[in-house]
Amino acid sequence: MKRDDEPKLWVTVLKLVVGLTILIGGVGLALNYAEKHQEEMPKPQPKSNWGIFSDSPIRR
């Protein structure tokens, strides 16, 4: 006698695929929402007298 209490394999796979689709879609929508509502930070003005950028490798 075989028990039919367990669902078929394709039903389980279908449920997993639907669950993953909802999970990935939800995360994607949340990231998209956060990106649209994020305030853009102003870039700081570079200082010309800082670091090795303005230093000459040749001494005068």
Side-chain angles (χ1 to χ4, degrees), residues 3-18:
R3 293 183 63 184
D4 286 336
D5 291 342
E6 296 182 15
K8 303 244 185 236
L9 179 63
W10 66 271
V11 174
T12 304
V13 171
L14 183 65
K15 287 180 181 179
L16 286 173
V17 168
V18 169

Side-chain angles (χ1 to χ4, degrees), residues 45-55:
Q45 296 295 330
K47 296 181 182 177
S48 63
N49 60 356
W50 181 85
I52 63 171
F53 176 73
S54 62
D55 292 343

Side-chain angles (χ1 to χ4, degrees), residues 9-50:
L9 179 63
W10 66 271
V11 174
T12 304
V13 171
L14 183 65
K15 287 180 181 179
L16 286 173
V17 168
V18 169
L20 282 173
T21 303
I22 290 172
L23 182 67
I24 292 171
V27 169
L29 287 174
L31 288 172
N32 191 14
Y33 177 80
E35 179 185 16
K36 286 183 179 180
H37 289 84
Q38 186 177 18
E39 294 180 10
E40 190 164 330
M41 300 281 292
K43 294 182 181 177
Q45 296 295 330
K47 296 181 182 177
S48 63
N49 60 356
W50 181 85

